Amino acid sequence: MSTEEFTDDMDAIRQIFFDECDEQLALLEEELTTLGEELENGEKINTIFRCVHSIKGGAAAFGMEELVKFSHLFESVLDLFRSGGLSVTTESVATFLKCKDALFDIVTAFKNEGTACEAAPEMVAELEQYLHS
């Protein structure tokens, strides 16, 4: 396999990853939007967790460290809600929606510019508050 063929294959695989991110982000938004109506729906939290986990896994394969780091933090917070350690509230849903937007921004930066984009420090701090509560 030539270097050019390898590069073309990697570009195709990378595009598949971004297509899957688009699907996961759409599902994430759909689940988060309806979660506000069903705050105690554990299956929704599981689905939301899986969306973030899928994005993180693909990002790790491509060395997108900023995306991995933020996804991992978001995933850790979601795990507290999945395990019952924290209860979903309208405030936490609002935080999750902001996190979805941050994921979208980071994915878009990698997709369009191929460059790193970090989540806003206040968004990271907001998530970390859940971990320390």
Side-chain angles (χ1 to χ4, degrees), residues 34-49:
T34 58
L35 180 62
E37 301 160 7
E38 305 175 45
L39 295 177
E40 296 190 22
N41 188 326
E43 190 51 41
K44 283 194 177 294
I45 290 292
N46 286 331
T47 301
I48 292 164
F49 178 89

Side-chain angles (χ1 to χ4, degrees), residues 107-133:
V107 168
T108 300
F110 276 112
K111 185 188 312 186
N112 294 336
E113 295 103 36
T115 57
C117 170
E118 292 185 5
E122 55 273 3
M123 185 76 265
V124 171
E126 195 169 333
L127 284 175
E128 287 176 342
Q129 285 180 348
Y130 283 102
L131 293 177
H132 300 111
S133 62

Side-chain angles (χ1 to χ4, degrees), residues 52-71:
V52 176
H53 183 73
S54 294
I55 291 170
K56 182 184 86 171
F62 288 102
M64 299 174 181
E65 290 304 314
E66 293 79 6
L67 185 53
V68 171
K69 187 171 134 183
F70 184 73
S71 298

Side-chain angles (χ1 to χ4, degrees), residues 11-130:
D11 287 344
I13 293 168
R14 186 177 166 101
Q15 185 56 52
I16 291 168
F17 165 69
F18 287 127
D19 291 344
E20 289 176 356
C21 280
D22 291 342
E23 292 171 12
Q24 294 298 325
L25 287 165
L27 178 58
L28 185 58
E29 182 167 13
E30 179 182 320
E31 292 296 311
L32 285 169
T33 302
T34 58
L35 180 62
E37 301 160 7
E38 305 175 45
L39 295 177
E40 296 190 22
N41 188 326
E43 190 51 41
K44 283 194 177 294
I45 290 292
N46 286 331
T47 301
I48 292 164
F49 178 89
R50 285 191 301 274
C51 289
V52 176
H53 183 73
S54 294
I55 291 170
K56 182 184 86 171
F62 288 102
M64 299 174 181
E65 290 304 314
E66 293 79 6
L67 185 53
V68 171
K69 187 171 134 183
F70 184 73
S71 298
H72 180 72
L73 177 59
F74 188 12
E75 189 181 58
S76 295
V77 170
L78 289 167
D79 202 37
L80 290 173
F81 287 88
R82 281 183 354 144
S83 68
L86 293 173
S87 297
V88 177
T89 64
T90 54
E91 292 81 15
S92 60
V93 172
T95 297
F96 298 161
L97 284 164
K98 288 189 279 185
C99 289
K100 186 266 312 166
D101 291 342
L103 283 174
F104 176 83
D105 291 344
I106 298 169
V107 168
T108 300
F110 276 112
K111 185 188 312 186
N112 294 336
E113 295 103 36
T115 57
C117 170
E118 292 185 5
E122 55 273 3
M123 185 76 265
V124 171
E126 195 169 333
L127 284 175
E128 287 176 342
Q129 285 180 348
Y130 283 102

